[in-house]
Amino acid sequence: MMQIPELSTEVLNEKTVHIDECETIEMLKMMNDEDATVAGAVQRELEHIAKAVDGISGRLKNGGRLFYIGAGTSGRIGILDASECPPTFGTEPELVQALIAGGESAITQPSEGAEDDAEAGRRLIREHHISEKDAIVGIAASGRTPFVVGALEAARETGALTIGVANNKNALLKKYCKISIIPDVGAEVIMGSTRLKSGTSQKMVLNMLSTATMIKLGKVYKNLMVDMKPVNEKLLLRSRRMLELAAGVGEKTAEDTLKAADGDLKTAIVMLKTNSNSKTARAMLEAGGGNVSKAIGHIRE
């Protein structure tokens, strides 16, 4: 197995070696300069990210699920992304899930030893009945975390789509992944503190994976998140404003149409775009697989 000195995330950053002697503004400039390199590292992985999105969305369209699996910072980033999918895209909690080494307590309390338990990773794959219908994204800055590697190995055996996100080009997890996404961000500002550049790159990658997947699932019209559930006053107002923008109508028309659509924004958009009633609009949406652009004829199969 790869040793710590061979990992690019574990080497000394010569640019920040005197950060402890700096004035506050100098510290922050150093951090900002290093952060500015992260987007480029992610950009270099766009082709691999695109393949992952196509694979994930294909499985979700056919009844599969997406799982993020990680330990420590990587696990928490997975949990953050998964937990944002229901309020942003109106998904059921089961569609996108996140599993972290050490269980729920590890979300807020350190559970460093749990990351070395490869069998725990394998066990979670069995417990969640992972199959060939599902997609698994293993996240580990080092690319060698036993918990994550064990989970990916077990998931691959089920036929699930296995995707690895790491920050070292020689990541061990690549051996168990059909698609590998490796933003090589180099040495951290503070040696080994992978919650910094590595964590930022992982968040950017997961943002892309979930957002682009949801767009392909019809959860977005234009650049509006039209599948959210208006469960409070703020979201009700947001739904109305989105309908005004999507259909080019005034506040009163938007409000009345949303009421006629029982609060369903996608149905309301189709009603206004096609001058139809709610029943017809729902049928058009169903025929378009829930995609507003397909329902109103802007995208043809």
Side-chain angles (χ1 to χ4, degrees), residues 191-261:
M191 192 178 102
S193 183
T194 54
R195 71 184 184 88
L196 298 175
K197 292 193 296 180
S198 295
T200 299
S201 73
Q202 292 168 12
K203 182 66 170 70
M204 291 174 72
V205 170
L206 298 198
N207 281 348
M208 290 180 175
L209 292 179
S210 58
T211 302
T213 292
M214 294 303 161
I215 293 170
K216 294 177 76 70
L217 293 179
K219 303 289 185 180
V220 173
Y221 173 63
K222 302 297 185 183
N223 62 350
L224 306 173
M225 50 184 192
V226 294
D227 236 354
M228 65 175 188
K229 308 301 182 188
V231 295
N232 60 32
E233 185 64 25
K234 179 188 74 174
L235 296 179
L236 283 168
L237 292 172
R238 183 177 289 167
S239 289
R240 189 182 70 199
R241 178 59 179 153
M242 286 187 182
L243 184 54
E244 293 171 20
L245 292 170
V249 298
E251 181 179 319
K252 182 66 165 61
T253 299
E255 186 175 351
D256 291 344
T257 306
L258 274 171
K259 287 180 181 177

Side-chain angles (χ1 to χ4, degrees), residues 3-298:
Q3 300 301 309
I4 285 286
E6 298 173 320
L7 303 176
S8 61
T9 51
E10 299 286 345
V11 301
L12 189 70
N13 190 329
E14 296 294 340
K15 296 177 184 177
T16 63
V17 72
H18 299 298
I19 196 169
D20 64 322
E21 303 170 17
C22 294
E23 297 292 332
T24 303
I25 190 64
E26 293 178 276
M27 293 181 192
L28 300 181
K29 284 179 178 178
M30 285 183 183
M31 293 183 70
N32 189 239
D33 286 345
E34 290 296 296
D35 285 343
T37 68
V38 175
V42 173
Q43 183 184 44
R44 291 188 287 274
E45 293 298 305
L46 287 181
E47 289 190 10
H48 297 143
I49 297 169
K51 289 178 182 177
V53 168
D54 288 341
I56 293 167
S57 60
R59 279 163 171 75
L60 268 55
K61 285 178 181 177
N62 288 299
R65 301 163 294 169
L66 168 62
F67 286 86
Y68 294 131
I69 298 179
T73 296
S74 298
R76 295 180 192 106
I77 289 171
I79 287 168
L80 175 60
D81 198 78
S83 66
E84 291 289 355
C85 287
T88 306
F89 301 111
T91 61
E92 295 300 321
E94 295 77 22
L95 187 68
V96 182
Q97 301 181 45
L99 307 174
I100 185 170
E104 288 188 10
S105 64
I107 298 173
T108 57
Q109 300 296 325
S111 183
E112 303 298 345
E115 72 175 52
D116 293 331
D117 192 345
E119 181 52 38
R122 297 186 188 98
R123 186 167 58 250
L124 282 175
I125 296 300
R126 296 192 296 269
E127 289 175 355
H128 286 81
H129 306 290
I130 304 299
S131 75
E132 72 280 355
K133 295 171 64 176
D134 300 315
I136 311 300
V137 178
I139 315 160
S142 68
R144 66 174 199 163
T145 305
F147 173 81
V148 177
V149 171
L152 286 168
E153 183 179 20
R156 187 182 66 165
E157 291 170 358
T158 72
L161 173 64
T162 51
I163 300 163
V165 178
N167 299 101
N168 283 282
K169 61 183 179 181
N170 296 319
L172 176 65
L173 58 71
K174 291 166 66 174
K175 179 180 177 181
Y176 304 101
C177 294
K178 187 171 182 62
I179 302 168
S180 297
I181 301 167
I182 315 290
D184 187 358
V185 297
E188 293 288 1
V189 172
I190 305 299
M191 192 178 102
S193 183
T194 54
R195 71 184 184 88
L196 298 175
K197 292 193 296 180
S198 295
T200 299
S201 73
Q202 292 168 12
K203 182 66 170 70
M204 291 174 72
V205 170
L206 298 198
N207 281 348
M208 290 180 175
L209 292 179
S210 58
T211 302
T213 292
M214 294 303 161
I215 293 170
K216 294 177 76 70
L217 293 179
K219 303 289 185 180
V220 173
Y221 173 63
K222 302 297 185 183
N223 62 350
L224 306 173
M225 50 184 192
V226 294
D227 236 354
M228 65 175 188
K229 308 301 182 188
V231 295
N232 60 32
E233 185 64 25
K234 179 188 74 174
L235 296 179
L236 283 168
L237 292 172
R238 183 177 289 167
S239 289
R240 189 182 70 199
R241 178 59 179 153
M242 286 187 182
L243 184 54
E244 293 171 20
L245 292 170
V249 298
E251 181 179 319
K252 182 66 165 61
T253 299
E255 186 175 351
D256 291 344
T257 306
L258 274 171
K259 287 180 181 177
D262 296 323
D264 187 86
L265 180 54
K266 289 166 77 169
T267 299
I269 293 171
V270 176
M271 288 170 66
L272 289 172
K273 284 289 190 178
T274 62
N275 194 28
S276 60
N277 60 33
S278 60
K279 182 178 180 180
T280 301
R282 288 190 182 94
M284 294 171 73
L285 272 169
E286 186 175 353
N291 185 300
V292 173
S293 290
K294 289 180 181 177
I296 65 180
H298 288 179

